[in-house]
Structures are given as structure tokens and as C-alpha cells.
Amino acid sequence: MSKEGFWDDPTAAQKLMKKKKSLENEIERYDRIEQGLTDTEEMIDLVEELHDEGEAKEIRRNFEALQEEMEELKLSMLLGGKYDANDAILTVYAGTGGVDAMDWAEMLERMYLRYCEHKGFKTEVVDLQNDTVAGIKSATIMVSGENAYGYLKSESGVHRLVRISPFNSAGKRQTSFAGVEVVPDLGDELDVVINPNDLKIDTYRSSGAGGQHVNTTDSAIRITHLPTNIVVTCQNERSQLRNKEVALKILTSKLQKLAEEEHKENLNELKGDMSQASWGAQIRNYVFQPYTMVKDTRTGAETGNIQAVMDGDLDLFVRAKLSQDAKERNL
């Protein structure tokens, strides 16, 4: 492509500008850390001369903040996947475990919203299927921010919870499961072409909180891709047309990711993801009783501070999985 032709391609130009911005942010972060370390060194010399305990505590706090920023920079350097810089589409759905599983799915939704908030990502819940008793059947969240997919991709899989069930009158321990699916938001990068005849499109009345049309019109959309049986829904937008556009965007992103994973060019050859959110398939265990522990079955990373994890502190697990993937790429 010629130089002129490149700039005539809005998608290519947008990707280049996004990459440029990302590199500028990395350089700015590096310069900020370097300057911070220089300032800290100078302050240490000054405090030693003045014997100022108050200033010494302030220096320690500043240094700890620099350490956190250095860890964040190191973590971002592990991102090298094809779509790591993209925004993400994250879906949480209840698995085996009845009401407990639906409650668990809602807890995970909150955990990821908190994690995204910590990272400075913007989130939009485009679909929320509530349960009649407690929790949710599923939730789909659009996440936008630098390297959003790169950070969230390793969360795909089954998450297992062990706790004393609040819904069990006998106070017995209950094991329940929820599934998480993360795909990159491909925007205008989509390569797959969907045959309209392969789609079953249903409309229904929105059930969640939302705009003026909620519970008054059949504005919510459910699209089923018949060859793979992949189902996507959207009910957050005010118009049926907009809900359909968002649902198609999510479906296309899922199909392209699936096609790449299965190395298929023909969508009719795709089998879809038929894995079940149940025993033996979990990527991470969360134990609330009789002790507290969160352990990733893939990397072995674990912590006893389960409350921090449920409040969105996932860096331990994200870092461990990205490091594992980086080592495997270099083998």
C-alpha cells in the first residue's frame, strides 16, 4: 500500500495512531519512574542530614508508589498478542450450582467492574440477565482502555466457588461455578462475513435498568448463530436497531476469535464453544470456608486475601498468566 493509500485507510491509520499513543505512554511512564527514583535518592541524602523521621516516612510512601508503577510497566511489557492492545468484550454466565451459581456470577461481575475501575478502563454493561431469586444468569460488559483485552484475556474459563451457602437453611458448604468469556473488540478489523441465513434474531422486552423504553417496548435483541449455536443478547441501548448493531458486533468478534483458534476460514466448519461451567474445567478456585484462598489452577498463583481479590485486585493472577504465556512463546 502506498503512503497516500495508507492514510486513505481509516482503520490502518487509527491502528497506527493508537500504537503511537501506547508507545508514548510507555516512554512517559518510564521517564516518570526514572525521575522519581532520582528525586528519591536526593531526598534520602537530605533526610540523612536532617534526621527528619516525617520526611523519611513520606519517602517510603513515594518509593512504594514507584514500585507499584514499575510493576505495572513490567506487566505491560508482557503484552505481545495480536489483539492485546484492543478493547475487550467480557461475558460472565452462571454455571452449575443453581441459585448459588447465579449469585456467584453476580459477584464475579462486580469483581471485574472493580478491576476495570482500578485499571482506569471504561465499562458499559450492554446486557444483564437477572435471576428471579438472586444473582444473574449472565452479564456482558464492553471494556475500553489501553491493553484492555491483553489484561483480561487470561480470565476466560470456569471459576469455582466453595462457601457456606446463604441460600441453604442447613448452613452446608456449597460448590458452584460460573463461566467467563473474554474476546477482543475488533472494531473495524473484522474479517469474517456472516451469512444472514445463519442468524436467528429474536426480540423481547428489556428486563434490566435502562432508558425510557425499558419494559415498554420489545427493544432487546437475541441473536443465535445457528451453525455454532452461539447466542448473544443486548438490551442496554434505547433502540432495537442499536441493540442489534451491538449484538452483531459482539457475535462477529466471538466468531472471528473462534475461527482463529480453530484455524478455520469457513464459518460453517466452526463447532462453537461447548465447554460446560462445571466440575473439572475450572481455571481458578475461590474458597471462602473453612479457610480463605484463591488459587489459579494453571499457574499455581494463590493468595489468602480473598476479599482483596473480590474487590478487583487481580494483578497477581494476570501477571502470573502473562509471564507463563511469555515463557511459552520464547520456548
Side-chain angles (χ1 to χ4, degrees), residues 80-87 149-150 184 186 189 191 256-257 260:
K82 182 178 179 180
Y83 300 118
D84 283 357
N86 288 47
D87 295 338
Y149 177 68
L186 299 176
E189 302 175 50
D191 295 327
Q256 180 153 327
K257 185 171 185 287
E260 291 183 358

Side-chain angles (χ1 to χ4, degrees), residues 207-249:
S207 59
Q212 61 182 352
H213 297 293
V214 172
N215 293 324
T216 62
T217 62
D218 292 339
S219 60
I221 291 289
R222 179 187 300 109
I223 301 178
T224 304
H225 184 249
L226 299 175
T228 60
N229 202 33
I230 292 176
V231 180
V232 296
T233 57
C234 183
Q235 61 173 313
N236 189 61
E237 304 297 333
R238 294 195 173 195
S239 73
Q240 185 183 111
L241 178 61
R242 179 58 182 155
N243 278 326
K244 183 178 179 181
E245 289 175 352
V246 173
L248 281 172
K249 178 180 181 180

